[in-house]
Amino acid sequence: MVVSLMVLMMVVLAQGQAELGFKNPSADTGLCATSCGARCLPRLYAPQIAFCFGLCMIGCKLRPSEAVFKCTSGCANSMVNSYKPTAAERVENIVGSCYQTCKQNSIN
């Protein structure tokens, strides 16, 4: 089960990279994924793993400002608690959507 969750997270991550437009080529996706996987896999519930992994990858790959990261975390946490998605991919989409919104709002 753990291996299948990691594969799912990597597939979702690859899709999310295209959608989010990762701009930091110097950050190694493999190192970030390894670090985030080790941090997040002890959680027992797939959506919690995906939530942790999504936020961790944003922090590692994009290195947003503290305000954008806190905004993303708060937004995603609120949406996950409200909608209670059961699919890890849905949680990853929520995290990505919150990041885009917070990033856009911090520029304006």
Side-chain angles (χ1 to χ4, degrees):
M1 180 173 158
V2 171
V3 173
S4 64
L5 283 173
M6 278 302 288
V7 170
L8 173 63
M9 286 188 287
M10 292 307 294
V11 169
V12 171
L13 173 65
Q15 177 186 3
Q17 283 182 341
E19 291 172 5
L20 293 176
F22 284 116
K23 294 181 173 103
N24 188 354
S26 64
D28 183 7
T29 301
L31 292 175
C32 287
T34 300
S35 173
C36 292
R39 178 184 302 167
C40 298
L41 281 179
R43 290 164 170 60
L44 298 176
Y45 187 53
Q48 290 175 340
I49 294 170
F51 178 75
C52 174
F53 191 80
L55 284 177
C56 183
M57 288 299 292
I58 285 172
C60 182
K61 288 279 297 168
L62 299 175
R63 297 184 183 129
S65 68
E66 186 175 341
V68 171
F69 190 78
K70 282 184 177 180
C71 172
T72 302
S73 178
C75 167
N77 194 30
S78 175
M79 289 181 72
V80 166
N81 286 336
S82 295
Y83 297 118
K84 299 188 185 339
T86 55
E89 185 174 349
R90 177 71 179 126
V91 174
E92 288 282 342
N93 290 338
I94 289 171
V95 173
S97 173
C98 284
Y99 171 74
Q100 285 297 340
T101 300
C102 291
K103 185 175 105 175
Q104 288 173 354
N105 288 341
S106 75
I107 294 172
N108 296 331

